[in-house]
Amino acid sequence: MTAFGADLKDREVPGMLRGATAFTADISLPRMLHLAFVRSEHGHARIDSIDTAQAAAMPGVVTVVTQEDLAGALMPMPCIWIPGGVESHFPPHPYGVPGAGTVLADGVVRFIGEPVAAVVAETVEQADEAARAVVVGYTPLPAVTEPQAALADGAPQLHEAVPNNLNALWTCGNAEAADAAIAAAEVVVELDLYNQRTINNPMEPRAAIGDYDPITEEYTLYATTQSPHNHRFLLSALVLGIPFNKLRVIAPPIGGSFGTKGYLYPDMPLVLHLAHKLGRPVRWADTREGLMRSTVQGRDHRQHITLAGTRDGRITGLRCTSYANLGAYPSTIGPGVATALMGRSITGPYEIASAFCEVHAVFTNTVPLGAQRGSGRAEATMITERVIDLYAREIGADPADVRLRNMVPPDRFPYDNGLGWTYDSGDYPAALRRALELAGYHKAEVLRREARERGKLLGIGVGSFVAICGVGPSTRMQAEGMLGGTWESANIRVHPNGEVAVTIGSTSTGQSHTTTFAQIAADELGIDPAAIVVTQADTRKAPYGQGTYGSRSYSVGGPAVAIAARQVIAKMRTAAAHFMGVSEDLIEYADGTFTVQGKEDAAKSFQDMAMALWYGWSLPPGMEPTVDVTTFFDPPDFNYPFGSHVAVVEIDENTGQVEVVDYAAVHDVGPVGNPMVVTGQFEGSIVHGLGQALMEQARYDATGALLSADLTTYAMPRAHDLPPLELDRTVTPSPHNPLGVKGAGEIATVPVTAAVANAVCDALRELGVRHIDMPFTPEKIWRAINEAKG
Amino acid sequence: MQISLMVNGVSVETTVLPHVLLVDMLRDTCGLTGAKVGCGTGQCGTCVVQLGDRSVKGCQVLAVQADGAEVTTVEGVANGELTPLQQALWEEHGVQCGFCTPGMVMALTDLLEHEPAPDEQAIRAGIAGNMCRCTGYGGVLRAVRKVVGGKP
Amino acid sequence: MERLEYTAPSSLDDALEALHANPGARPLAGGHSLILDLKSRVRRVPLLVDLGRLAELRGVRRRPRGELEIGSMTTITELVADPLVRQSHVHGLLSDAAATLPDAQVRNRGTIGGAVLAGTDVAAALIVLDAETHIRSRDGRHRRISVEDLLDPATPGLAPDEVITAVGVSAATASGAHERQPEPATLTSLCGVAVSVTFRADGAIDTCKVAVCGGRTPARRLPALERAMTAIPERATGLPLDDVFESDDVASGEYRAHLALVLAKRAVARARDRAI
Ligand SMILES: Cc1cc2nc3c(=O)[nH]c(=O)nc-3n(C[C@H](O)[C@H](O)[C@H](O)COP(=O)(O)OP(=O)(O)OC[C@H]3O[C@@H](n4cnc5c(N)ncnc54)[C@H](O)[C@@H]3O)c2cc1C
Ligand code: FES
Ligand code: FES
């Protein structure tokens, strides 16, 4: 039986197609109250007064709270991924851990959506109306929205505990060696690039419902969280100060996340606290506008890079300086994402002898920064892939050839990139060659001429990448500044009739976990996936787990399932040998049956063994009845999926409109458990990347007001934006887990902006345009063309 | 204001304030939470339901405007079995997180009812008002192609 | 959304009476711009007078002299599917313009009356078709005014108690087309250009009407562009269009003006193809 590798249909989907799937905001508990936030209208301001009297008197209003009411009841939220190995500064937390700000604003607001007060009422509408009636007196303070400006002398200061708004200056690599390579280089190419801020915008806005049972004194949180266990720990220990035993966290089905729902947000402790205080469940459900002002945003690095190379196309050194805009507060894992995931990744799939990267992680008056699909790695890939193109042009070489020339050769693994990552396995040039072939790269000049005849400028661009995934080895992550373990777990319980229950610690946000994990278990157990149920996302039901982020569910949680299944079979094998009276090494297990070599008639099925272990009669001496296995998998190292994309764009010279007319993408994520699901992840990731390349941007004005604050002002790709996609895979297993699998959920976003940017700049090259920053909106392109033409 | 309408074939008599949106009435009064409110400004299409014989954005219509009308939500589309469209969306993995799905199903059901053989451009135009952040639309488009022409 | 009153009269007279009797009351057509305004609270309306039950305002009729009379409550979807419209020379231009509305759901609710007042692509198309609005108010009063004049900021627009009952399009034989460049968030037009062109026997352009939309200013004719298109469209460059469009968050006026010229040329070329 081979369930692994089959295109099994996602078992959750029929419910979704019928509208029967209850997302957090669809849940209604008896006597439930509704919470609405009063959010800051300023990027930076002192709060002089909060008048809640009128709101409190409005119909249906149960309570109005401000930070004053929470002092003593709720601690500030913590930050758990800090820049590793360097001095860093955070807002305070009473336990001395890095703080991430108070639940409601404490005297000062530092970004446009910061919650200042919360209203609880009988209905959503009553809560909203009352929230409008809360009168907040502000004295606006000077704001700063850009990291370099925030570091300058005399810049507005956000946090007392953070001098000059600098969270950390983080570095990796060898600065002297990189500088020496640059000083000695035949060719030096420099580039400034702004990787603009984006808003992830999963289609489901966040929501949270708090419930409290006065009899058992237990709190329950239903929330859009990718990390129920982790949030249970952080909320109980570091925010609410209640026993771990008294908090249960449930993540109902989640409507997409892409990196935004792995964070602690003020609503989570608040609905729990208020449910306790008011003796009724309290629900909060965000709106799109609320999401855009308060859910973590992505990217936002201002980078400068210097590449050193030889005339004949060998890259000898790379030095990158990046200013990461962390927003007003550190998000739960934002500072780590912005530093390590970006900085250590700048050498990409290339062998570069001397490299160095520094990241200035800076607080500004903007919405806190978090992860966005491919975070860190996408920003690194973008700038490196751009500068490689410029280098190729400078020496008159083909950009694809320069890449092939510098890629880590397949015989060099494990490969230490000199910045902290040790790439596991792969054939990087093979993936690039395949992508070039799919895109018809060699025909570029013919295509270009053809397009010219139609009045279009055609460009072709490559983006090659390797992306650290499978976060991660716990001790290694400790060194990276992660304040917590990053292992994953699984439990397998075999029922008397041979059906199986698998529970996993990670939580799906649309990645079909209950199907794909069943496939892993089915394959290992030799049974039909239909006999397996998979449970996740409830801290009472599922074993400990760390959650879904950093492309880790399948490559860290998947192996946990496989190992647990192997232990199930090992136990059954021992028992089967005992029952059949042979030594264990004579037993073979295949297709759900234990057989003995040479004894055709002796056989025990998986179901037989399940039943036997359930009864527990005459088991081998010392063996416990039943099969119930829990495993924890802490990988020895990360895994490193890789690949190459090739984008072909056509630009209408008259209007500046960019159209992606062809797109080829080749990935290597090791063996694939469910190709249909993985293809879906690739396609979604690519279109997400196209969104950033072509249209998405979170824009702030100088006061910190968000100008793109709803979907009428923030564009996202629609069906007509999907280019013809040609996908292929190569398969190189990772040695770092028993399945050989690598992360696949976000990696296809990583090289998209680079491929498109390279294609756009290629198209405009003949006009003399060197570089344009994203997003490639028509007017921007039109202006660049005009300027180039003089 | 007193209104009466048919929702998924069942007659509903209810009192509703004039400013209440159709999608909110369906979710809060009728308990039909299939339709979502993904944006509230008309861009995302998660709120799409059928009003009369056409799909509309439930966040842009007042409940009172539906007085006397027939409304179908995603809960009322399948008649026991999944429809061929729903089945194809399942088979082609046109659904990942499922949040956009109710709106997609309603918009596409409308499209296929009025234009049984749409070409590629018409299929894409048919979901121009439905955003999906997960699938990149690939699986959705394959599903519709399959329903229309037998091939994804 | 703030609370408000609502009435859905079953006769036009009742609707007109309700509008007259209640200061601040507004007619509700498809609601696709009004409800958005109410939600964002940029506008307060104490009473909505829903025109949705007035069957007399729906559908397309042909008048004795060939004029098409389009009931103001006809939805955009109904308009482009209507057999009379489909058979008429205006179909190409009107379907181009209708297709600019972002999606089927908006077209299914948005009405032609609302579209005229929205002053965007559909209005631009109606302007080059010399369309006229039929307007009623209390006590049987009525007037007709061209779409162009109705949208002209220099003329007094619709009075609060007036209702557009229909839009009349005369039976001309010009060939029309509409081109536009959408903005990616809402898919509204950064710039839209409608043309209506007559050709001489030798293929040269005889007359050319051009109306543009984009940005805050409502659709309007652009004589400079009309003159340029009537001369030799391909050669038209550097027209004095600089102050025609405003700049906003989405695009500069300069870019819009540039687009107007590019799109006008394309629209004329399409109109020529259609004329053959
Ligand atoms: C998601 C979304 C996207 C949109 N995108 C676009 C777009 O890309 N391009 C575009 O042009 N428009 C767009 N619109 C706006 C909308 O389609 C138009 O504004 C629509 O034509 C308005 O028509 P309506 O029938 O909905 O008018 P309503 O919203 O009902 O009314 C609009 C205004 O006109 C008045 N009015 C309406 N009919 C009459 C009448 N017969 N007599 C007197 N007064 C009347 C109303 O009182 C109100 O003041 C969009 C709307 C939505 C919801
Ligand atoms: S909620 Fe209606 S379109 Fe987004
Ligand atoms: S499946 Fe998640 S938004 Fe479409």
Side-chain angles (χ1 to χ4, degrees), chain B residues 1 17-19 21 40-43 48 51 54-57 59-62 64-65 67 107 110 126 128-130, chain C residues 1-6 28-32 35-36 39 48 50 53 77 102-106 108-109 185-187:
Chain B
M1 188 180 158
L17 290 166
H19 70 289
L21 298 169
T41 49
Q43 275 70 45
V48 173
L51 176 59
R54 282 292 184 172
S55 60
V56 301
K57 289 187 162 156
C59 74
Q60 303 295 329
V61 176
L62 301 175
V64 289
Q65 290 178 284
D67 187 14
D110 183 10
N130 297 79
Chain C
M1 200 190 288
E2 277 176 294
R3 296 197 174 186
L4 40 70
E5 297 294 319
Y6 170 89
L28 175 68
H32 271 33
I35 290 173
L36 274 177
K39 281 201 213 186
L48 288 176
D50 191 349
R53 320 253 153 208
T77 300
D103 54 58
Q105 291 73 39
V106 172
N108 288 343
R109 287 299 285 180
T186 57
L187 305 181

Side-chain angles (χ1 to χ4, degrees), chain A residues 210-524:
Chain A
D211 194 11
Y212 180 75
D213 181 339
I215 309 296
T216 60
E217 299 180 333
E218 194 188 47
Y219 293 81
T220 303
L221 175 68
Y222 302 81
T224 48
T225 164
Q226 290 165 250
S227 302
H229 292 280
N230 206 3
H231 287 168
R232 176 187 184 191
F233 171 63
L234 298 175
L235 284 169
S236 62
L238 297 177
V239 187
L240 289 150
I242 58 170
F244 188 77
N245 263 328
K246 295 297 181 192
L247 176 59
R248 174 181 181 185
V249 179
I250 298 172
I254 294 176
S257 167
F258 317 111
T260 58
K261 291 173 180 166
Y263 299 76
L264 287 182
Y265 290 95
D267 43 277
M268 297 172 172
L270 202 53
V271 292
L272 290 169
H273 169 71
L274 291 171
H276 178 205
K277 191 168 139 187
L278 302 172
R280 292 171 66 181
V282 176
R283 168 194 186 265
W284 168 80
D286 210 352
T287 59
R288 180 63 49 186
E289 291 83 351
L291 177 157
M292 298 186 75
R293 287 168 64 174
S294 64
T295 291
V296 294
Q297 302 183 343
R299 310 279 190 253
D300 209 348
H301 280 254
R302 286 188 186 270
Q303 300 162 314
H304 178 83
I305 198 162
T306 310
L307 177 146
T310 63
R311 280 258 148 242
D312 65 352
R314 181 83 213 153
I315 304 169
T316 54
L318 204 58
R319 182 182 177 125
C320 177
T321 301
S322 192
Y323 293 86
N325 187 346
L326 294 187
Y329 297 91
S331 65
T332 315
I333 60 168
V337 167
T339 50
L341 280 188
M342 202 303 279
R344 296 197 195 285
S345 304
I346 62 153
T347 59
Y350 310 105
E351 206 178 355
I352 300 176
S354 310
F356 173 76
C357 183
E358 66 182 32
V359 181
H360 304 253
V362 186
F363 294 115
T364 70
N365 296 110
T366 57
V367 175
L369 189 78
Q372 156 146 344
R373 214 164 191 176
S375 55
R377 296 141 294 178
E379 294 93 300
T381 301
M382 174 69 183
I383 187 142
T384 301
E385 290 295 287
R386 273 300 295 136
V387 80
I388 287 181
D389 260 38
L390 292 175
Y391 168 56
R393 301 308 179 198
E394 179 85 24
I395 60 172
D398 180 273
D401 288 341
V402 171
R403 286 180 173 79
L404 289 167
R405 164 115 214 250
N406 288 280
M407 278 176 168
V408 178
D411 57 2
R412 287 288 307 280
F413 294 95
Y415 175 82
D416 176 351
N417 83 337
L419 298 177
W421 302 145
T422 305
Y423 301 158
D424 52 355
S425 61
D427 187 340
Y428 301 166
L432 173 52
R433 283 198 199 94
R434 180 71 185 121
L436 296 172
E437 187 182 309
L438 282 178
Y441 188 77
H442 61 283
K443 292 187 313 221
E445 291 317 311
V446 180
L447 294 176
R448 214 188 289 279
R449 272 197 307 276
E450 263 172 34
R452 252 282 151 245
E453 279 160 24
R454 287 181 281 115
K456 296 281 174 74
L457 297 166
L458 182 137
I460 186 159
V462 178
S464 294
F465 75 102
V466 54
I468 181 211
C469 283
V471 171
S474 298
T475 308
R476 176 62 212 281
M477 285 307 292
Q478 180 195 15
E480 292 292 352
M482 179 69 84
L483 310 176
T486 44
W487 37 263
E488 204 42 72
S489 73
N491 170 273
I492 296 185
R493 186 179 285 189
V494 183
H495 300 315
N497 62 351
E499 291 171 39
V500 168
V502 175
T503 36
I504 55 175
S506 65
T507 299
S508 174
T509 60
Q511 303 94 333
S512 314
H513 284 184
T514 59
T515 304
T516 57
F517 283 75
Q519 287 178 264
I520 295 178
D523 214 48
E524 297 285 343

Side-chain angles (χ1 to χ4, degrees), chain C residues 224-225 228-229 233-242 257-258 261-262 265:
Chain C
L225 211 44
M229 291 301 116
E234 294 75 23
R235 297 233 189 101
T237 50
L239 298 177
L241 298 177
D242 283 358
H258 166 76
L261 178 57
V262 172
K265 290 181 192 174

Side-chain angles (χ1 to χ4, degrees), chain A residues 203 711, chain B residues 23 36-48 57-60 129, chain C residues 39:
Chain A
M203 293 323 299
L711 292 188
Chain B
V23 65
K36 315 291 181 207
V37 184
C39 71
T41 49
Q43 275 70 45
C44 78
T46 57
C47 61
V48 173
K57 289 187 162 156
C59 74
Q60 303 295 329
Chain C
K39 281 201 213 186

Side-chain angles (χ1 to χ4, degrees), chain C residues 70-93:
Chain C
I70 306 163
S72 63
M73 288 296 290
T74 309
T75 67
I76 303 299
T77 300
E78 289 163 353
L79 174 73
V80 290
D82 188 276
L84 290 176
V85 175
R86 292 184 75 90
Q87 291 153 16
S88 137
H89 71 285
V90 301
H91 186 245
L93 173 54

